[in-house]
Amino acid sequence: MSTLESLALTGIPAEDEALRAEVRAFLIEATRAMPAHIRARSWMGYNAEFSRQLGAKGWIGVTLPTAYGGAGRSAFTRYVLVEEFLNFGAPVGAHWIADRQSAPLILKYGTEDQKQFYIPKVCRGEAFFCIGMSEPNSGSDLASVKSRAIPNAQGWLLNGQKIWTTYAHHCQYMIALVRTSGTSEDRHKGLSQVIVDLSLPGVTVRPIRDLSGDSHFCEVFFDNVQLGHDALIGVEGQGWEQVTAELAFERSGPERLFSSIVLFEQWLQYVRTPQGRTESAQRLAGKVLTQLAPLRAMSVAVQQKLVQGASPIVEAALVKELGTTLEQMIPAAIAEDLFARDTEEIPVELLMTLKYITQASPSFSLRGGTRDILRGMIARGLGLR
């Protein structure tokens, strides 16, 4: 079966869809006072108290076993939750990575002690994780990481640096891809994943201010950080296989389709008014929706493969590449539409939301894997290279 043939049309089960009404009712009230330009940050918006509220409702870690504090429900339950969080622009950035990939990774590869210690805290919205993958001077070449954890009597001695680490300054833990044997020339060999308590001596976190004025990216330095023996996740030297499986969770979800959705909805509200309705605007709305619908279907199909226990790395890369292309097209096309009009008639909140998304959108095709890397993966998966 080819990669394209494997993306069969899949529907979200009725029992999972049934949750949507309750989630929407909660989010209508929870986000009522949040202006659109704040909600536009959505899964990059940080609010630890909001995450704890979701944890209390059982909406974090819904796919994880009840034995570890999860709800033991289908991955499609989480898919419904994520779609609604993004649709409303809920500030879910605090727990996002822990829920999406850190806890599932620990569940799959971790020891029983690691599962018992970390996963219940994630489900309660009390433990936040960041991802330690990218490094300076490595670009998109993840296999060239130079951060190194050397085994010693106490466990592992960690030295190195990570960059573009989302919300490291607010997180308690990082799962870092580091070299535990060999050299960077060995490529995929000798890489491992370790859990780093970011409060340990020798860890320095420095936020990086971006074009929009936000500081969610960070650089993290490790200077002789002593980790325990229990810091290692999985098998030493198998980090590359673990991290590539982890990236399928990162690349295939609705967040790769809906990062611009709050802006699109604000613009649609304006287009529905007499002063905002034009033939060109209606054509643009149709263009966006006709691209969004099949992309969502592809994302749901990838979710089905994950539910079945597959590792749809190429399919997830395809969804991510096409999805972020659409996410970047939306603010550019809306700007072209709005600035062809009399700007005095355009709602200020719509313009403020457009400003934020325009400033943030260049990062959409960088985070989670750059466009060129993903296109190379897709080409190999289709047998084109």
Side-chain angles (χ1 to χ4, degrees), residues 24-36 38-39 50 88-91 266 349:
R24 286 182 178 176
F26 170 80
L27 292 174
I28 287 172
E29 292 302 318
T31 63
R32 188 183 299 277
M34 299 179 189
I38 298 298
R39 290 189 292 108
F50 186 82
F88 281 87
Q266 283 292 112
E349 187 60 37

Side-chain angles (χ1 to χ4, degrees), residues 72-94:
R73 295 192 59 170
S74 161
F76 282 114
T77 302
R78 183 181 182 277
Y79 197 95
V80 168
L81 285 165
V82 168
E83 280 196 318
E84 294 304 322
F85 294 156
L86 296 172
N87 182 50
F88 281 87
V92 292

Side-chain angles (χ1 to χ4, degrees), residues 95-175:
H95 71 269
W96 194 258
I97 290 168
D99 177 57
R100 182 180 67 186
Q101 58 202 99
S102 303
L105 180 80
I106 293 170
L107 179 67
K108 185 172 182 178
Y109 296 108
T111 65
E112 184 61 27
D113 285 345
Q114 288 172 334
K115 296 173 189 178
Q116 293 284 357
F117 182 80
Y118 294 106
I119 296 178
K121 294 181 179 181
V122 170
C123 294
R124 294 193 299 267
E126 297 173 357
F128 307 141
F129 278 76
C130 57
I131 305 169
M133 292 189 190
S134 299
E135 294 191 358
N137 305 315
S138 290
S140 297
D141 186 10
L142 185 59
S144 69
V145 297
K146 294 180 174 60
S147 294
R148 179 177 291 271
I150 299 173
N152 62 13
Q154 292 76 42
W156 303 89
L157 190 65
L158 175 62
N159 283 280
Q161 181 182 355
K162 297 293 179 178
I163 198 167
W164 312 125
T165 309
T166 302
Y167 285 132
H169 55 317
H170 291 312
C171 291
Q172 296 96 336
Y173 306 104
M174 171 194 287
I175 294 182

Side-chain angles (χ1 to χ4, degrees), residues 280-301:
S280 62
Q282 292 179 82
R283 285 195 298 270
L284 175 57
K287 179 180 179 180
V288 171
L289 290 172
T290 54
Q291 292 185 50
L292 187 59
L295 279 170
R296 179 182 183 268
M298 290 171 64
S299 179
V300 174

